[in-house]
Amino acid sequence: MLGFLLARQAGLDDPLRLRRAESTQRVLGLELNKDRDVERIHGSGVNTLDIEPIEARYMLSGGSDGVIVLYDLENSSRQPYYTCKAVCSVGRNHPDVHKYSVETVQWYPHDTGMFTSSSFDKTLKVWDTNTLQTADVFNFEETVYSHHMSPVATKHCLVAVGTRGPKVQLCDLKSGSCSHILQVIFAGHRQEIMAVSWSPRCEYVLATASADSRVKLWDVRRASGCLITLDQHNGKKSQAVESANTAHNGKVNGLCFTSDGLHLLTVGTDNRMRLWNSSNGENTLVNYGKVCNDSRKGLKFTVSYGCSTEFVFVPYGSTIALYTIYSGEQITMLKGHYKSVDCCVFRSNFQVKKMRLMSVKY
């Protein structure tokens, strides 16, 4: 570390190199924090978490009980031992509470004044953070599994929604009405859409994962829509028909772009994780070994950013498996939960991870 400081002071090193090296060391040193706790509000399992990207201070959680909770992660007391308190919540007595399990929550990428939630009650809700009232509600014919807003979009306000039906729907937040669901429906999948994710590199590129074993990349500006159907064999077994391409040998229930958007990670019920080149759809053939995936719904995993070597954090039973993205090496298993972990998020500012455990304090 002293060498990094001296080189930086002398102008011999890129200032970011020291930051990346320190971030990497902190990730490698991650362990259960015994000095911090999170107030327990949910009466049952927590399915989804999201930390707002503006200050990385506030965290949303959505539970199987339909409840949404907003936490303040900052230690305002400055005490060594503290509990992250719930600022507010959409409880069972709230008039706009979801009727069934909340599957995804997400902050509006550019402003903490708004967030979204989707649920098994076939709705996507847009919330005003200040009043904790719904600003808009989008209704669907099928159960909603996941949704996602682009973190980089400046020319559109589209929310991609994956449902139990084999189509992806795009909802336009600018329309201000649930009747304005865009009729941009891609019928490329044959079964339910388990996960959706916008590229952090191009605001018009969308990745979708389905129970039909397929992962597709779309350009929403194109009439045909689909850019690539990912093929685990890189075309060697299915050169004739692209529709025969499969990304996994089971349901694909999780996907996540790397922070630079150059690669896409997918996980499936075949207990495999794969890394893809997002520009040409090539399977990079990185071997992560067996990645246990017993989730019947979407599996929400996350990646690091700002490190000299990037990492991926994957729920693995009652633990979190930590891998290096580009070599596939398993670094460690983060332990501390007693039952299955459903999701995890990474808070880059302090290299602290917030993970949840079904029905147990997290």
XYZ file of all heavy atoms in Angstrom, residues 288-356:
551
model
N -17.071 -22.038 -13.999
C -17.286 -21.677 -12.593
C -17.559 -22.905 -11.723
O -17.769 -22.768 -10.519
C -18.468 -20.708 -12.470
C -18.273 -19.407 -13.207
C -18.773 -19.232 -14.496
C -17.583 -18.353 -12.633
C -18.594 -18.044 -15.185
C -17.395 -17.157 -13.307
C -17.902 -17.009 -14.587
O -17.717 -15.825 -15.266
N -17.565 -24.089 -12.355
C -17.908 -25.287 -11.606
C -19.398 -25.341 -11.343
O -20.203 -24.649 -11.978
N -19.802 -26.152 -10.396
C -21.218 -26.262 -10.044
C -21.649 -25.041 -9.249
O -21.045 -24.694 -8.239
C -21.465 -27.529 -9.218
C -22.929 -27.718 -8.829
C -23.137 -28.986 -8.016
C -24.600 -29.140 -7.619
N -24.844 -30.364 -6.817
N -22.697 -24.392 -9.730
C -23.275 -23.241 -9.032
C -24.695 -23.637 -8.641
O -25.615 -23.580 -9.457
C -23.281 -21.984 -9.925
C -23.889 -20.802 -9.181
C -21.870 -21.650 -10.392
N -24.855 -24.059 -7.412
C -26.127 -24.602 -6.930
C -27.254 -23.585 -7.089
O -27.147 -22.455 -6.625
C -25.989 -25.015 -5.461
S -27.463 -25.782 -4.779
N -28.323 -23.989 -7.765
C -29.438 -23.091 -8.050
C -30.750 -23.856 -7.900
O -31.213 -24.507 -8.826
C -29.297 -22.523 -9.472
C -30.392 -21.540 -9.836
O -31.310 -21.292 -9.069
N -30.297 -20.975 -11.032
N -31.331 -23.777 -6.725
C -32.586 -24.468 -6.445
C -33.783 -23.530 -6.469
O -34.896 -23.928 -6.116
C -32.518 -25.147 -5.060
C -31.440 -26.223 -5.004
O -31.233 -26.888 -6.032
O -30.801 -26.377 -3.948
N -33.573 -22.291 -6.885
C -34.651 -21.308 -6.859
C -35.714 -21.643 -7.893
O -35.414 -21.945 -9.049
C -34.094 -19.908 -7.121
O -35.130 -18.964 -7.165
N -36.960 -21.583 -7.476
C -38.076 -21.804 -8.388
C -38.501 -20.505 -9.064
O -39.328 -20.513 -9.973
C -39.266 -22.402 -7.629
C -38.976 -23.775 -7.030
C -40.200 -24.312 -6.299
N -39.933 -25.617 -5.721
C -40.817 -26.320 -5.009
N -42.027 -25.801 -4.782
N -40.508 -27.496 -4.509
N -37.943 -19.394 -8.600
C -38.264 -18.095 -9.187
C -36.965 -17.496 -9.735
O -36.007 -18.205 -9.988
C -38.886 -17.192 -8.120
C -40.139 -17.762 -7.484
C -40.805 -16.778 -6.547
C -39.968 -16.486 -5.328
N -40.661 -15.585 -4.372
N -36.953 -16.181 -9.901
C -35.741 -15.533 -10.370
C -34.667 -15.520 -9.294
O -34.962 -15.347 -8.108
N -33.423 -15.724 -9.693
C -32.287 -15.670 -8.765
C -31.576 -14.339 -8.974
O -31.078 -14.062 -10.065
C -31.332 -16.832 -9.017
C -30.182 -16.971 -8.018
C -30.722 -17.416 -6.659
C -29.142 -17.963 -8.516
N -31.529 -13.531 -7.942
C -30.973 -12.186 -8.063
C -29.554 -12.160 -7.508
O -29.344 -12.238 -6.308
C -31.871 -11.185 -7.343
C -33.287 -11.117 -7.936
C -34.186 -10.224 -7.137
C -35.572 -10.133 -7.785
N -36.284 -11.431 -7.787
N -28.585 -12.055 -8.409
C -27.183 -11.982 -8.010
C -26.596 -10.667 -8.496
O -27.264 -9.892 -9.192
C -26.403 -13.189 -8.537
C -26.342 -13.300 -10.046
C -25.199 -12.938 -10.730
C -27.418 -13.802 -10.774
C -25.122 -13.053 -12.114
C -27.354 -13.927 -12.157
C -26.208 -13.548 -12.825
N -25.356 -10.380 -8.119
C -24.805 -9.061 -8.428
C -23.310 -9.137 -8.699
O -22.677 -10.176 -8.432
C -25.081 -8.089 -7.263
O -24.772 -6.760 -7.653
C -24.258 -8.452 -6.033
N -22.762 -8.063 -9.227
C -21.338 -7.998 -9.545
C -20.710 -6.800 -8.840
O -21.395 -5.852 -8.450
C -21.099 -7.882 -11.065
C -21.583 -9.115 -11.789
C -21.779 -6.628 -11.628
N -19.397 -6.854 -8.682
C -18.661 -5.725 -8.117
C -18.359 -4.721 -9.226
O -18.540 -5.015 -10.417
C -17.342 -6.218 -7.509
O -16.474 -6.689 -8.538
N -17.899 -3.549 -8.844
C -17.390 -2.594 -9.829
C -16.410 -1.667 -9.142
O -16.489 -1.439 -7.940
C -18.520 -1.810 -10.505
C -19.561 -1.211 -9.591
C -19.495 0.117 -9.194
C -20.634 -1.976 -9.148
C -20.459 0.671 -8.375
C -21.614 -1.437 -8.327
C -21.517 -0.110 -7.946
O -22.486 0.422 -7.131
N -15.442 -1.211 -9.934
C -14.399 -0.349 -9.382
C -13.233 -1.107 -8.791
O -12.391 -0.524 -8.108
N -13.144 -2.421 -9.066
C -12.031 -3.228 -8.547
C -11.044 -3.513 -9.676
O -11.381 -3.449 -10.860
C -12.537 -4.550 -7.973
S -13.700 -4.370 -6.600
N -9.814 -3.852 -9.317
C -8.827 -4.207 -10.339
C -9.152 -5.573 -10.939
O -8.836 -5.848 -12.094
C -7.420 -4.209 -9.737
O -7.365 -5.020 -8.579
N -9.757 -6.444 -10.157
C -10.303 -7.712 -10.633
C -11.772 -7.721 -10.239
O -12.100 -7.517 -9.076
C -9.602 -8.911 -9.971
O -8.211 -8.871 -10.296
C -10.209 -10.222 -10.437
N -12.670 -7.956 -11.208
C -14.093 -7.877 -10.891
C -14.623 -9.225 -10.402
O -14.145 -10.288 -10.803
C -14.893 -7.405 -12.105
C -14.532 -5.998 -12.561
C -14.808 -4.913 -11.505
O -15.366 -5.229 -10.438
O -14.447 -3.748 -11.752
N -15.632 -9.142 -9.543
C -16.166 -10.329 -8.886
C -17.672 -10.428 -9.101
O -18.342 -9.439 -9.399
C -15.876 -10.276 -7.376
C -14.426 -10.099 -7.035
C -13.884 -8.832 -6.842
C -13.590 -11.206 -6.902
C -12.540 -8.672 -6.527
C -12.248 -11.047 -6.592
C -11.722 -9.784 -6.400
N -18.194 -11.647 -8.923
C -19.627 -11.869 -8.958
C -20.039 -12.571 -7.671
O -19.345 -13.469 -7.191
C -20.054 -12.695 -10.200
C -19.314 -14.021 -10.289
C -21.566 -12.929 -10.206
N -21.153 -12.115 -7.095
C -21.697 -12.676 -5.859
C -22.984 -13.415 -6.196
O -23.927 -12.813 -6.718
C -21.997 -11.567 -4.853
C -20.828 -10.667 -4.543
C -20.595 -9.525 -5.296
C -19.969 -10.953 -3.499
C -19.529 -8.686 -5.018
C -18.897 -10.120 -3.206
C -18.675 -8.989 -3.966
N -23.035 -14.706 -5.889
C -24.185 -15.524 -6.272
C -24.765 -16.232 -5.050
O -24.036 -16.949 -4.348
C -23.781 -16.588 -7.323
C -25.023 -17.329 -7.822
C -23.043 -15.953 -8.485
N -26.076 -16.059 -4.772
C -26.702 -16.848 -3.711
C -26.502 -18.335 -3.969
O -26.735 -18.814 -5.081
C -28.179 -16.461 -3.807
C -28.162 -15.077 -4.379
C -27.019 -15.075 -5.352
N -26.037 -19.056 -2.947
C -25.676 -20.468 -3.101
C -26.153 -21.192 -1.849
O -25.421 -21.324 -0.879
C -24.162 -20.583 -3.259
C -23.630 -21.912 -3.759
C -23.066 -22.028 -5.017
C -23.665 -23.043 -2.943
C -22.548 -23.234 -5.471
C -23.160 -24.254 -3.385
C -22.607 -24.347 -4.655
O -22.104 -25.544 -5.094
N -27.433 -21.623 -1.871
C -27.998 -22.220 -0.671
C -28.110 -21.183 0.424
O -28.670 -20.103 0.232
N -27.529 -21.465 1.573
C -27.553 -20.518 2.695
C -26.307 -19.640 2.721
O -26.046 -18.949 3.702
C -27.669 -21.285 4.018
O -26.540 -22.123 4.198
N -25.533 -19.654 1.651
C -24.307 -18.852 1.582
C -24.331 -17.962 0.336
O -25.253 -18.022 -0.468
C -23.052 -19.749 1.522
O -23.053 -20.463 0.267
C -23.035 -20.745 2.672
N -23.281 -17.149 0.206
C -23.044 -16.364 -1.006
C -21.700 -16.806 -1.566
O -20.675 -16.727 -0.880
C -22.992 -14.853 -0.711
C -24.333 -14.352 -0.200
C -22.585 -14.079 -1.952
C -25.406 -14.245 -1.231
N -21.708 -17.295 -2.799
C -20.468 -17.711 -3.438
C -19.831 -16.507 -4.133
O -20.504 -15.756 -4.833
C -20.729 -18.824 -4.449
N -18.528 -16.335 -3.917
C -17.773 -15.232 -4.519
C -16.814 -15.792 -5.553
O -15.960 -16.627 -5.234
C -17.006 -14.470 -3.431
C -16.028 -13.379 -3.891
C -16.771 -12.274 -4.638
C -15.277 -12.797 -2.695
N -16.979 -15.357 -6.810
C -16.132 -15.816 -7.912
C -15.454 -14.616 -8.581
O -16.002 -13.512 -8.593
C -16.952 -16.523 -8.999
C -17.732 -17.728 -8.564
C -19.029 -17.587 -8.073
C -17.208 -19.020 -8.662
C -19.770 -18.693 -7.686
C -17.946 -20.127 -8.280
C -19.226 -19.961 -7.797
O -19.964 -21.058 -7.412
N -14.283 -14.859 -9.165
C -13.714 -13.872 -10.080
C -14.415 -14.065 -11.418
O -14.569 -15.197 -11.893
C -12.199 -14.050 -10.250
O -11.920 -15.399 -10.643
C -11.479 -13.755 -8.944
N -14.861 -12.985 -12.033
C -15.701 -13.092 -13.217
C -14.978 -13.730 -14.399
O -15.519 -14.610 -15.069
C -16.237 -11.699 -13.612
C -17.244 -11.201 -12.568
C -16.889 -11.734 -14.992
C -17.813 -9.827 -12.846
N -13.747 -13.300 -14.656
C -13.111 -13.689 -15.911
C -12.257 -14.946 -15.829
O -11.897 -15.517 -16.857
C -12.289 -12.510 -16.453
C -13.156 -11.304 -16.715
C -13.093 -10.186 -15.887
C -14.072 -11.294 -17.759
C -13.912 -9.087 -16.110
C -14.892 -10.209 -17.982
C -14.808 -9.110 -17.156
O -15.636 -8.030 -17.371
N -11.946 -15.414 -14.617
C -11.202 -16.667 -14.491
C -12.087 -17.808 -14.008
O -11.773 -18.970 -14.215
C -10.030 -16.494 -13.514
O -10.503 -16.375 -12.178
N -13.205 -17.466 -13.356
C -14.102 -18.493 -12.850
C -13.702 -19.066 -11.508
O -14.377 -19.952 -10.979
N -12.629 -18.555 -10.932
C -12.150 -19.085 -9.652
C -13.113 -18.729 -8.519
O -13.535 -17.580 -8.383
C -10.773 -18.514 -9.335
C -10.202 -18.989 -8.003
C -8.902 -18.290 -7.643
O -8.457 -17.429 -8.431
O -8.337 -18.610 -6.580
N -13.451 -19.731 -7.707
C -14.262 -19.471 -6.521
C -13.336 -19.016 -5.399
O -12.462 -19.762 -4.971
C -15.038 -20.711 -6.092
C -15.976 -20.444 -4.930
C -16.713 -21.686 -4.443
O -16.390 -22.241 -3.392
N -17.693 -22.131 -5.217
N -13.548 -17.795 -4.932
C -12.674 -17.212 -3.925
C -13.056 -17.671 -2.523
O -12.209 -18.094 -1.735
C -12.709 -15.673 -3.997
C -12.310 -15.192 -5.400
C -11.788 -15.073 -2.946
C -10.924 -15.613 -5.827
N -14.355 -17.593 -2.216
C -14.807 -17.962 -0.875
C -16.304 -18.159 -0.884
O -16.993 -17.854 -1.868
C -14.411 -16.871 0.150
O -14.698 -17.334 1.470
C -15.199 -15.589 -0.097
N -16.824 -18.629 0.246
C -18.261 -18.727 0.475
C -18.572 -17.866 1.697
O -18.046 -18.119 2.785
C -18.684 -20.172 0.725
C -18.315 -21.130 -0.399
S -19.345 -20.939 -1.862
C -20.771 -21.880 -1.370
N -19.382 -16.847 1.524
C -19.737 -15.957 2.618
C -20.861 -16.589 3.431
O -21.962 -16.805 2.919
C -20.169 -14.594 2.076
C -19.130 -13.853 1.227
C -19.709 -12.564 0.677
C -17.867 -13.570 2.036
N -20.566 -16.873 4.691
C -21.525 -17.590 5.534
C -22.078 -16.670 6.615
O -21.461 -15.702 7.011
C -20.843 -18.800 6.172
C -20.285 -19.796 5.159
C -19.573 -20.952 5.826
C -19.011 -21.922 4.796
N -18.292 -23.053 5.434
N -23.269 -16.990 7.103
C -23.891 -16.194 8.146
C -25.387 -16.408 8.224
O -26.008 -16.152 9.254
N -25.978 -16.887 7.126
C -27.405 -17.175 7.102
C -27.658 -18.638 7.482
O -26.763 -19.475 7.418
C -27.977 -16.885 5.712
C -27.985 -15.429 5.368
N -28.708 -14.508 6.070
C -27.352 -14.741 4.380
C -28.537 -13.304 5.531
N -27.701 -13.419 4.517
N -28.907 -18.913 7.821
C -29.277 -20.261 8.232
C -30.227 -20.938 7.255
O -30.447 -22.145 7.338
C -29.917 -20.232 9.625
C -28.985 -19.696 10.686
C -29.060 -18.365 11.092
C -28.013 -20.504 11.254
C -28.199 -17.858 12.051
C -27.140 -20.012 12.212
C -27.248 -18.691 12.615
O -26.382 -18.200 13.559
N -30.810 -20.153 6.360
C -31.695 -20.703 5.341
C -31.320 -20.098 3.986
O -30.383 -19.311 3.884
C -33.161 -20.421 5.682
C -33.662 -21.167 6.909
C -35.148 -20.923 7.124
C -35.645 -21.659 8.370
N -37.097 -21.400 8.614
N -32.069 -20.470 2.957
C -31.715 -20.081 1.592
C -31.670 -18.569 1.410
O -32.588 -17.854 1.823
C -32.723 -20.673 0.607
O -32.655 -22.079 0.623
N -30.614 -18.095 0.779
C -30.469 -16.683 0.429
C -31.144 -16.466 -0.921
O -30.909 -17.210 -1.868
C -28.989 -16.275 0.352
C -28.850 -14.825 -0.056
C -28.304 -16.525 1.691
N -32.008 -15.459 -1.000
C -32.762 -15.198 -2.222
C -32.130 -14.135 -3.108
O -32.315 -14.144 -4.321
C -34.182 -14.745 -1.871
C -35.001 -15.863 -1.249
O -34.689 -17.027 -1.494
O -35.953 -15.557 -0.500
N -31.400 -13.186 -2.508
C -30.876 -12.085 -3.308
C -29.736 -11.410 -2.566
O -29.555 -11.599 -1.356
C -31.972 -11.058 -3.607
S -32.710 -10.340 -2.123
N -28.950 -10.631 -3.283
C -27.874 -9.862 -2.664
C -27.611 -8.621 -3.507
O -27.854 -8.616 -4.717
C -26.598 -10.700 -2.518
S -25.931 -11.370 -4.041
N -27.158 -7.569 -2.856
C -26.783 -6.346 -3.557
C -25.428 -5.893 -3.031
O -25.058 -6.205 -1.901
C -27.828 -5.217 -3.381
C -29.078 -5.528 -4.147
C -28.138 -4.986 -1.909
N -24.712 -5.139 -3.858
C -23.363 -4.701 -3.518
C -23.338 -3.192 -3.368
O -23.772 -2.458 -4.259
C -22.387 -5.134 -4.613
C -20.956 -4.777 -4.342
C -20.212 -5.490 -3.429
C -20.346 -3.733 -5.030
C -18.883 -5.163 -3.183
C -19.022 -3.405 -4.793
C -18.288 -4.123 -3.873
N -22.855 -2.733 -2.234
C -22.735 -1.298 -1.961
C -21.269 -0.919 -2.131
O -20.448 -1.147 -1.254
C -23.226 -0.992 -0.543
C -23.277 0.479 -0.190
C -23.675 0.668 1.270
N -23.833 2.062 1.628
C -23.988 2.506 2.860
N -23.999 1.640 3.868
N -24.128 3.779 3.104
N -20.935 -0.314 -3.265
C -19.536 -0.120 -3.624
C -18.816 0.887 -2.731
O -17.619 0.777 -2.513
C -19.429 0.327 -5.082
O -20.071 1.580 -5.253
N -19.549 1.874 -2.222
C -18.896 2.959 -1.480
C -18.082 2.469 -0.296
O -17.017 2.974 0.010
C -19.941 3.962 -0.983
C -20.712 4.593 -2.123
O -21.198 3.892 -2.993
N -20.817 5.906 -2.122
N -18.621 1.474 0.397
C -17.947 0.985 1.589
C -17.620 -0.500 1.511
O -17.208 -1.103 2.485
C -18.813 1.242 2.824
C -19.157 2.684 3.005
C -20.387 3.166 2.616
C -18.232 3.572 3.534
C -20.714 4.502 2.772
C -18.544 4.902 3.696
C -19.791 5.371 3.308
N -17.815 -1.078 0.299
C -17.587 -2.507 0.114
C -18.324 -3.320 1.177
O -17.771 -4.204 1.820
C -16.088 -2.864 0.133
C -15.377 -2.569 -1.175
C -15.233 -1.091 -1.421
O -14.741 -0.369 -0.572
N -15.652 -0.618 -2.570
N -19.583 -2.982 1.372
C -20.436 -3.726 2.298
C -21.556 -4.355 1.484
O -22.179 -3.686 0.672
C -21.049 -2.796 3.366
C -22.015 -3.572 4.252
C -19.939 -2.195 4.220
N -21.788 -5.631 1.684
C -22.854 -6.310 0.973
C -24.045 -6.493 1.892
O -23.906 -6.839 3.041
C -22.422 -7.689 0.471
C -21.350 -7.605 -0.578
C -20.958 -8.942 -1.042
C -22.083 -9.573 -1.846
N -23.029 -10.324 -1.085
N -25.230 -6.284 1.334
C -26.454 -6.520 2.077
C -27.151 -7.727 1.456
O -27.530 -7.697 0.296
C -27.382 -5.295 2.018
C -26.772 -4.074 2.679
C -26.608 -4.268 4.157
C -25.935 -3.057 4.795
N -25.665 -3.253 6.192
N -27.287 -8.772 2.214
C -27.927 -9.983 1.729
C -29.063 -10.358 2.657
O -29.027 -10.033 3.835
C -26.921 -11.130 1.660
C -25.808 -10.885 0.665
S -24.350 -11.837 1.003
C -23.618 -10.879 2.306
N -30.054 -11.055 2.136
C -31.152 -11.406 3.011
C -31.331 -12.912 3.099
O -30.944 -13.670 2.249
C -32.448 -10.745 2.595
C -33.114 -11.132 1.346
C -33.860 -12.370 1.257
N -34.538 -12.762 2.451
C -34.867 -13.978 2.677
N -34.525 -14.916 1.850
N -35.532 -14.297 3.745
